[in-house]
Amino acid sequence: MAGDRSVRNLGALRGASTSRVLNLSAVRKAHGEEPEYRAAPLFDSPIINSSLILKHRVRGDESYLFDTPHNVATKVIVPFDMDDLKLGGRSFFFGQRGFRDAMRQIGNYNPDAMQRDLEVLRLISTVPSLDPFLLREHLRFNDINVADCYFEISAADKARMSEFVATDIRHLIHLAFAKGAGASSSTAKLVSALLSTAVDEKLEPMRITLMLDGEQFREGVFSWRGFLYYKWSMNQLWPGLGSAIQELKTIRASGVQTNDQLRLIAEHKKRVILAILRARQDVAGAVKNYDDAYSDLVEHGKPATFRDFLLKAPAMFITLGERVGTISHIVSFWQYRFGGRGMKTADADELIAIFNDFESGFNQQEAAPAHAMSA
């Protein structure tokens, strides 16, 4: 099996999870000795359970690996040295020809002992991004229960989110704690607790305020954390999304173009822009549902609405996460490919391929089982 040197680009990776990378090696280092990690692993193979899983844009020199065209594929990389990713590793794509044999060899599976891990990898391959909330709820919806430590928000995202979350929940802190110094000194601790997979005594005043028992509160906190994460994510994406939409409208094909190519570009462009606008509207509507329920709690002192919203919210996460993941992919790719000033142009065939990729993300969502976007 040839060594995969693309892992060198991940040498600076430290977080456990981003929308593009799931660093199971980092999860193992942080939580490998914990009973929950051992009792409910993501993958049964310790080797695959210490790998790097990527949402990888398939390059032209990789397309031959697949029987059908793939714009984005799920890639599994097992580094030669978990402590030095720059040394490279072995890899395979889910769905490439012979990937089961590659997975069996790399994962060192016993005969007929790989079926669960294949199913987990298949489920991971069907989601548009690896954001922790989408991934957790997608697995749970398909009866795959995994330790919470696999779905932590990355340290970098936690730092960027802290100020946003502190502002969002400040009013609730004053409901749960005595006003004054007690509430003020509790803000940092509460924000840290909300952005952690642990649900401990720091959140007990919130549990009492929301009138939830232990297990309900554990699930409710995960839902709450999810909506705070999605609200924050979309706040980061809105400016880039607005720019991408405007540039999508004006981008031109360069070089020689046929009439069929120009027609396809115009049709794709229209469909992609409409799909983005619909997705943005769906996400804004879901966040408004959260804001309305939260407002009923902090402004009118009615915890029941917010409590009920949190308990129903996981059913929304698949659809909400898919919308945010697809929007994030479009924004990040557009900035990478067409960043900078000046008129945006690309070869006609490349434009068609890009628009096909963007459309495929929305088409996958429409083909997936429906999940309510309102609670």
Side-chain angles (χ1 to χ4, degrees), residues 28 33 40 47 70-71 98 102 114 130 148 154 173 195 197 199 210 218 244 252 254 334-335 346 355:
R28 186 200 64 181
E33 300 304 317
I47 297 173
H70 280 65
N71 293 311
M114 197 172 67
L130 297 173
D148 284 344
S154 71
I173 292 172
L195 298 182
T197 55
V199 178
L210 296 174
R218 180 177 176 276
R252 302 278 190 231
S254 60
W334 197 263
Q335 290 174 341
F355 291 151

Side-chain angles (χ1 to χ4, degrees), residues 60-81:
D61 60 355
E62 297 168 331
S63 60
Y64 77 94
L65 295 169
F66 301 90
D67 288 326
T68 57
H70 280 65
N71 293 311
V72 177
T74 299
K75 188 175 190 177
V76 179
I77 303 175
V78 177
F80 293 131
D81 185 342

